[in-house]
Amino acid sequence: MTNSQHTQFMQRAIALGRQTAFEDRAGGPFGCVIVKEGQVIAEGVNRVLAENDPTCHGEIAAIRAACSDLGTHDLSGCNLYTSSEPCPMCYAAAWWARIETIYYASTIQDSKKFGEFDDLQIHEALRLPTAERSLPCVELLRDEMLELWEAFNKMEDRPRY
């Protein structure tokens, strides 16, 4: 892909971020474009405020749309362009979707400085051992769940991810 194409896709992601924040007032200035073989296959914007949904990030919306349009959960060969470096949730979603490369226009530090978004705190918390994180995580009924895992593992026709 050419630098001109990368620029064009990123400018679209930024324009989507501008629209959702300033015109629609639906959420932060986060827009996303997913591209495959030089063609935009999906777009998404942050709609956290409009939907009262903390998971309604631009990357998540774009990944869902791309998967739906392509009829698969596997976005191998796709690139993601986003107006800001993805939060841990969006990075993980891109990872699970098998996105090839993430391109971003601003950093997590920028979103903290200019928008008071707390993504950086989440990144820092995830570096800590589970027991030291500020949001408590408590293991419960592991033996019961391991029975389910063992049965799932033995399924001959189990779904593959």
Side-chain angles (χ1 to χ4, degrees):
M1 210 170 313
T2 67
N3 283 340
S4 174
Q5 288 173 303
H6 287 301
T7 298
Q8 173 189 350
F9 298 135
M10 187 59 74
Q11 286 173 333
R12 178 63 182 154
I14 292 169
L16 288 167
R18 181 177 291 113
Q19 178 181 338
T20 198
F22 292 99
E23 294 172 33
D24 302 339
R25 301 185 65 82
F30 305 108
C32 181
V33 175
I34 296 180
V35 174
K36 185 171 188 172
E37 298 173 356
Q39 299 295 314
V40 173
I41 60 167
E43 298 180 339
V45 296
N46 183 291
R47 293 190 49 80
V48 168
L49 300 177
E51 304 296 330
N52 294 316
D53 179 354
T55 68
C56 201
H57 291 198
E59 296 93 337
I60 299 294
I63 289 168
R64 287 176 178 161
C67 289
S68 179
D69 289 350
L70 295 176
T72 180
H73 66 279
D74 186 342
L75 298 181
S76 296
C78 293
N79 293 318
L80 186 149
Y81 296 81
T82 181
S83 58
S84 185
E85 185 177 359
C87 72
M89 176 184 68
C90 293
Y91 179 84
W95 178 291
W96 284 113
R98 308 295 188 249
I99 293 290
E100 187 171 302
T101 304
I102 297 170
Y103 297 91
Y104 60 91
S106 62
T107 66
I108 286 174
Q109 291 80 4
D110 295 332
S111 67
K112 172 71 174 164
K113 179 179 178 180
F114 296 107
E116 299 178 15
F117 289 91
D118 58 1
D119 301 27
L120 191 56
Q121 291 171 294
I122 300 167
H123 275 282
E124 291 168 355
L126 288 173
R127 290 188 188 123
L128 297 172
T130 304
E132 295 177 27
R133 295 178 186 165
S134 59
L135 175 59
C137 296
V138 180
E139 186 179 296
L140 185 63
L141 298 178
R142 182 169 185 251
D143 291 339
E144 190 173 319
M145 186 59 204
L146 288 180
E147 289 177 21
L148 178 59
W149 274 122
E150 287 176 15
F152 181 80
N153 188 40
K154 292 176 185 174
M155 282 176 62
E156 290 184 28
D157 60 344
R158 76 175 175 158
R160 300 293 175 179
Y161 299 95

